[in-house]
Amino acid sequence: MIARVTLDRAVGQDFDYLVPENLKGAVEVGTRVEVPLGSQRLLGLVTGILARSPHPKLRELIGVVGRQSLITPKILDLVRWLADYYCCSLELALKSAVPQAVLKKPENWRKKLFVRGLNPPSSETELTNRQRELWQAIRDRGASALSEILTELATSASTLRRMEETGWVAIAPQIEERDPFADEIVLPTSKLRLNPEQQNVLDRVIVAFDDLEREGHAFLLHGVTGSGKTEIYLQAIAHCLSRGKGAIVLVPEISLTPQTVERFKARFSDGEGNTEIAVLHSHLSTGERHDEWHKIRQGRARIVIGARSAIFAPVDPLGLVIVDEEHDSSYKQEETPRYHARDLAVLRAKREKAIAILGSATPSLESYRNVELRKYILLNLPNRVDSCTLPLVRIVDMRLEARGEKGIPIFSRRLKEAISLRLEAREQVMLLINRRGYASSLQCLQCGYVVECPHCSVSLTYHRRDERLLCHICGHLEPPPNVCPQPECGDPGIRYRGVGTQRVEETLGKLFPKARVKRMDSDVLKRKEDYRRILDQFRQGKIDILLGTQMIAKGLHFPNVTLVGIVYADLSLHIPDFRAGERTFQLLTQVAGRAGRGEVEGEVFVQSFTPFHPAIQYARQHDYLGFYEQELEQRQEFGYPPFNRLCALTLRAQDQDLARLTADHVATTVRQRLGDLPDLNVLGPAPAVLLRAETFYRYQIVLRTGRMPVLARRIKRLAKELELPEGVRLTIDVDPVHL
Ligand code: ADP
Ligand code: ZN
């Protein structure tokens, strides 16, 4: 018996080892093993069991680590596919699939001392009355943590030890699971009665679920905000469980809020703290992550909610994969392996004969196009559940507001008035500005100099609270200058430009001194409880105006919010990326969906300098299809996705010439070597939009093709053979979401 092992260290190669006789029963695909390599001992995962190996002289495995295999053959297949399609090594792909918390310490259980009452020993040792009472109380409770017994039964450790010696109780270490939600009380909810539209959608999912010979397996659920998509997810999951299968629910990291998780917990717990749900996200401690993962692996939690990496959760058998807010760009990992969790979700569902539901109010162009190509089945929820109307969206032309003013005001007159009316009515307001900090740059009025980061090609953002200039790319900090730092200028007339959340907060304080204003952006949210605390305060009506970056845009449901203002709608439009229009449309629609989710009709103000941009106009009409049609036309004209697929090759080096010349060389090589691929277009190289980041200059080559799997295979091979000069790094991004 031979085990093929993928090492933790990225060496781009697997190694074969003989399995010694005494370990034969303990080694299977997914087993964590220790192996010799040269004179070292390394850890790895068994990724294959073979009868013979092409290598003549094999060494033996040293040992097995942990008892449970850490990856199932099905997930391993998915990971292999990922490594090929996204052009990375199997080692790196595996790192994403199995959490570090599990790889590093497969048996990282927290042990605690537990006390159990035993049957009275035969050699009756007499107990005092007090001890007998205590023993009875311990018996009644069942096994309980020593610490609990000590406090709740008001006794001492030495008393318990004496009772242990005489055989009345047993004290032993036991595993105690860390529960990230231990201190929460969740009130169970039951199924809501679906409206006819929802019922129709659910029926179609259920029919497909039960039909294993089905034609399609992926649904795109296009439902406006508040149309009751989540209720459908909940009932589809209930059906899935009733058929003995498990479910994975992916949500964007940012909306993996307690509010979201609670809704699922409330439906699938018994009210006594027992639940079938495991949660995976980046705020868990290593220990919590370890325990949640094993709960899934052992089949004790059949529902998994998590951000993108939860797509690798070892749910088996899998019946359903839900991707909420499927258009969200956080499903794409921005470091190697650069996989897209939504696409993996569809693939995994297909391979495991499960159903995939992708839900959104603003589906990505790729997904909606897949409906037209008959790869996905469309389900529609065009109305809000409670027949609440969608909020009225007003566009404010800021060019008119700026006229005759000294500089550009942050708030238009109309938005100001609207805010004061809502405050008087004791309703709540949300304001979005997608830029943190106080001012986006510091500029000299005399010579035009802008203070830039010494390591990146961006201006530094001014943060007022700690009187610092900060780089949002690399985190570089410096004190703001009092005069222009240009030696030949030195003018004191240096001014802040561009508005960020802190500046808006300050202005609100001046305009509405009585209002309770709270800012929410990544500068405020330093700890994991902060997000929750602010949202709780907002829900309890302790905040009048919640102001923030896009993190306030998603998934939140506050019935008393009747006014939403978008301070600068143009910020996301002017990013030089072909998806800028799509992102702006999505963002505006999402934020607008936060208004009017209760009794009072909602109202949205969008302040813009380009009020006639299609992304803004279609968002105003809540017209997804209109936006889709015109955007699709543009994409077709330029050959962009969804008509083609892209692959971005980025070369980075600290020396600008070296980066540029290497990029030239790589582009030439690609043109020569892949010239036989008929539909391949090689664009560039060109300087990346952000030319310099964290001291590295970046040049980009963009490949365009109709058949990515073929290209990916060739690129992966080519990349291995490329000999890059020292100091130059190449990254390959298949289906990039940011260009
Ligand atoms: P979405 O996920 O599409 O934004 P939600 O599922 O959050 O919509 O639904 C919006 C609100 O309507 C929630 O408060 C939800 O509990 C409620 N709701 C959903 N379906 C129904 C229903 N059939 N009957 C009554 N209320 C419902
Ligand atoms: Zn920087």
Side-chain angles (χ1 to χ4, degrees):
M1 182 178 175
I2 291 162
R4 179 156 289 176
V5 175
T6 304
L7 300 175
D8 287 3
R9 196 177 297 172
V11 282
Q13 188 192 338
D14 292 340
F15 295 89
D16 292 351
Y17 293 92
L18 287 170
V19 180
E21 203 54 44
N22 63 332
L23 290 180
K24 278 202 173 140
V27 175
E28 57 180 332
V29 167
T31 305
R32 187 109 179 101
V33 289
E34 193 178 7
V35 297
L37 187 74
S39 59
Q40 302 179 62
R41 299 168 137 224
L42 298 174
L43 289 175
L45 274 184
V46 174
T47 50
I49 298 287
L50 321 167
R52 64 177 72 90
S53 161
H55 306 286
K57 273 201 198 144
L58 296 184
R59 299 171 74 180
E60 282 195 342
L61 290 178
I62 298 172
V64 167
V65 186
R67 258 163 306 187
Q68 188 116 43
S69 113
L70 296 187
I71 195 161
T72 61
K74 282 175 198 163
I75 295 174
L76 183 60
D77 280 350
L78 185 73
V79 173
R80 281 189 200 284
W81 183 92
L82 181 163
D84 286 339
Y85 184 82
Y86 293 102
C87 301
C88 73
S89 67
L90 186 58
E91 294 94 310
L92 278 174
L94 278 171
K95 266 197 185 152
S96 281
V98 187
Q100 286 304 301
V102 175
L103 272 182
K104 285 251 160 60
K105 293 188 179 151
E107 303 278 328
N108 174 24
W109 300 104
R110 180 159 68 190
K111 298 223 171 98
K112 243 186 170 178
L113 287 176
F114 273 70
V115 184
R116 254 176 327 126
L118 300 176
N119 290 329
S122 48
S123 64
E124 284 264 338
T125 333
E126 264 319 298
L127 292 178
T128 61
N129 282 347
R130 167 78 187 113
Q131 285 173 331
R132 197 167 269 281
E133 255 171 51
L134 189 62
W135 172 78
Q136 195 58 50
I138 293 172
R139 288 273 292 191
D140 291 347
R141 296 167 69 103
S144 319
L146 175 63
S147 52
E148 264 170 44
I149 301 266
L150 290 179
T151 48
E152 287 172 27
L153 301 182
T155 180
S156 71
S158 56
T159 309
L160 289 171
R161 281 293 175 203
R162 265 199 306 279
M163 287 169 72
E164 185 194 19
E165 278 161 23
T166 52
W168 287 80
V169 301
I171 306 178
Q174 252 186 39
I175 288 172
E176 185 208 41
E177 265 176 21
R178 286 155 281 222
D179 180 355
F181 299 93
D183 52 349
E184 269 171 40
I185 307 153
V186 185
L187 297 177
T189 61
S190 43
K191 280 186 183 181
L192 296 175
R193 243 184 93 105
L194 298 182
N195 65 31
E197 283 172 348
Q198 284 174 309
Q199 191 62 52
N200 178 36
V201 165
L202 183 67
D203 287 346
R204 291 191 55 195
V205 171
I206 286 179
V207 167
F209 191 97
D210 291 340
D211 173 13
L212 291 177
E213 307 301 314
R214 61 180 101 93
E215 296 276 309
H217 72 287
F219 291 95
L220 177 64
L221 174 54
H222 179 206
V224 298
T225 47
S227 58
K229 297 187 287 297
T230 311
E231 184 61 31
I232 290 183
Y233 303 154
L234 293 169
Q235 298 199 17
I237 294 170
H239 181 80
C240 175
L241 293 185
S242 77
R243 294 288 187 267
K245 295 185 175 174
I248 297 177
V249 184
L250 298 185
V251 296
E253 177 78 48
I254 203 169
S255 52
L256 195 54
T257 58
Q259 222 182 352
T260 312
V261 174
E262 251 163 48
R263 265 181 94 176
F264 285 83
K265 287 228 154 177
R267 190 64 57 87
F268 299 104
S269 349
D270 59 5
E272 289 171 16
N274 303 310
T275 167
E276 288 228 52
I277 295 185
V279 183
L280 295 174
H281 62 80
S282 63
H283 282 320
L284 296 184
S285 70
T286 311
E288 286 170 345
R289 200 170 260 276
H290 168 274
D291 292 2
E292 294 292 288
W293 192 90
H294 279 284
K295 232 191 260 175
I296 305 164
R297 181 74 176 96
Q298 295 165 3
R300 285 178 295 130
R302 289 187 297 163
I303 307 168
V304 178
I305 306 182
R308 82 184 156 244
S309 67
I311 193 53
F312 303 109
V315 177
D316 196 20
L318 180 67
L320 186 61
V321 187
I322 291 164
V323 185
D324 192 28
E325 312 279 5
E326 68 85 30
H327 63 277
D328 196 278
S329 56
S330 74
Y331 287 125
K332 173 83 174 176
Q333 177 146 299
E334 292 290 356
E335 58 192 58
T336 315
R338 296 167 181 263
Y339 66 90
H340 202 305
R342 180 234 294 141
D343 296 348
L344 285 185
V346 173
L347 183 76
R348 180 166 177 196
K350 182 172 182 184
R351 291 181 159 199
E352 301 189 26
K353 298 209 176 328
I355 294 284
I357 306 176
L358 315 181
S360 175
T362 51
S364 62
L365 261 75
E366 283 81 356
S367 292
Y368 210 83
R369 174 85 178 144
N370 277 335
V371 170
E372 295 183 346
L373 297 175
R374 295 174 180 273
K375 290 184 186 162
Y376 299 168
I377 301 160
L378 182 65
L379 302 170
N380 265 310
L381 287 178
N383 301 303
R384 280 189 161 185
V385 167
D386 35 18
S387 59
C388 273
T389 44
L390 285 167
L392 191 61
V393 179
R394 303 175 198 277
I395 313 284
V396 183
D397 187 341
M398 290 304 276
R399 294 170 306 180
L400 301 179
E401 294 285 328
R403 214 169 275 170
E405 298 263 343
K406 285 201 307 252
I408 304 153
I410 294 177
F411 290 104
S412 60
R413 268 172 294 118
R414 291 166 65 198
L415 180 51
K416 251 187 304 198
E417 278 164 25
I419 295 175
S420 36
L421 285 177
R422 298 294 173 174
L423 291 177
E424 270 166 37
R426 305 204 155 272
E427 292 160 15
Q428 288 174 300
V429 177
M430 286 174 100
L431 294 174
L432 177 107
I433 166 137
N434 217 354
R435 185 156 60 197
R436 62 201 178 92
Y438 184 85
S440 59
S441 66
L442 201 56
Q443 187 172 33
C444 172
L445 292 185
Q446 192 63 32
C447 72
Y449 174 81
V450 173
V451 184
E452 285 203 355
C453 175
H455 315 298
C456 310
S457 43
V458 290
S459 57
L460 293 175
T461 303
Y462 174 57
H463 285 245
R464 167 151 284 185
R465 192 155 61 167
D466 23 52
E467 273 295 315
R468 280 281 185 280
L469 292 174
L470 171 69
C471 173
H472 284 183
I473 303 293
C474 73
H476 169 83
L477 273 175
E478 58 181 69
N482 296 321
V483 298
C484 176
Q486 286 291 78
E488 61 274 24
C489 179
D491 195 89
I494 192 151
R495 288 284 181 282
Y496 303 112
R497 296 194 157 271
V499 172
T501 43
Q502 294 180 7
R503 177 89 180 277
V504 175
E505 185 183 24
E506 183 187 89
T507 310
L508 281 172
K510 286 184 193 147
L511 291 175
F512 308 102
K514 290 208 202 96
R516 293 160 301 173
V517 177
K518 199 91 189 183
R519 170 163 64 89
M520 193 151 95
D521 56 29
S522 53
D523 296 316
V524 184
L525 305 183
K526 294 283 181 242
R527 284 164 307 138
K528 69 173 172 181
E529 313 84 58
D530 292 345
Y531 187 70
R532 176 180 190 140
R533 190 174 37 83
I534 295 181
L535 293 182
D536 280 346
Q537 289 173 353
F538 194 48
R539 193 184 351 236
Q540 293 158 7
K542 293 180 183 159
I543 298 171
D544 301 311
I545 304 179
L546 183 66
L547 146 82
T549 53
Q550 59 179 356
M551 68 176 57
I552 67 171
K554 286 173 194 163
L556 305 176
H557 180 77
F558 297 106
N560 200 33
V561 172
T562 50
L563 172 65
V564 168
I566 294 145
V567 180
Y568 280 122
D570 311 79
L571 277 182
S572 53
L573 264 185
H574 298 318
I575 296 165
D577 184 319
F578 70 90
R579 288 196 180 89
E582 184 181 5
R583 291 235 170 78
T584 304
F585 176 80
Q586 288 164 347
L587 183 65
L588 294 184
T589 309
Q590 291 289 335
V591 189
R594 299 306 117 217
R597 294 184 70 138
E599 318 259 282
V600 189
E601 200 178 324
E603 187 180 33
V604 178
F605 281 85
V606 177
Q607 301 193 137
S608 168
F609 289 91
T610 50
F612 297 104
H613 191 287
I616 292 178
Q617 284 297 327
Y618 284 114
R620 170 185 172 201
Q621 311 282 353
H622 306 288
D623 182 3
Y624 174 80
L625 277 180
F627 177 76
Y628 172 78
E629 299 284 340
Q630 77 89 34
E631 183 71 18
L632 201 67
E633 219 167 88
Q634 300 232 331
R635 301 280 180 92
Q636 184 155 32
E637 189 175 329
F638 296 104
Y640 281 135
F643 294 95
N644 279 299
R645 295 196 165 227
L646 303 180
C647 171
L649 307 181
T650 306
L651 288 129
R652 56 191 80 206
Q654 285 179 312
D655 181 311
Q656 184 169 8
D657 287 337
L658 186 64
R660 186 169 44 80
L661 292 173
T662 312
D664 282 340
H665 169 69
V666 171
T668 311
T669 313
V670 170
R671 286 192 172 97
Q672 280 167 359
R673 300 270 298 276
L674 305 186
D676 59 313
L677 296 178
D679 67 345
L680 177 67
N681 271 296
V682 183
L683 315 171
V689 170
L690 187 65
L691 173 61
R692 189 161 178 248
E694 299 175 69
T695 73
F696 283 85
Y697 288 91
R698 297 132 22 113
Y699 285 81
Q700 219 166 44
I701 302 160
V702 176
L703 312 180
R704 194 164 65 187
T705 177
R707 291 183 308 154
M708 186 51 83
V710 182
L711 177 65
R713 218 173 308 133
R714 297 280 297 273
I715 285 287
K716 190 175 176 182
R717 200 172 338 135
L718 184 72
K720 264 195 194 150
E721 292 162 14
L722 275 177
E723 280 174 17
L724 298 176
E726 201 170 317
V728 185
R729 279 187 271 162
L730 167 69
T731 55
I732 305 173
D733 192 355
V734 175
D735 299 335
V737 298
H738 294 288
L739 268 188

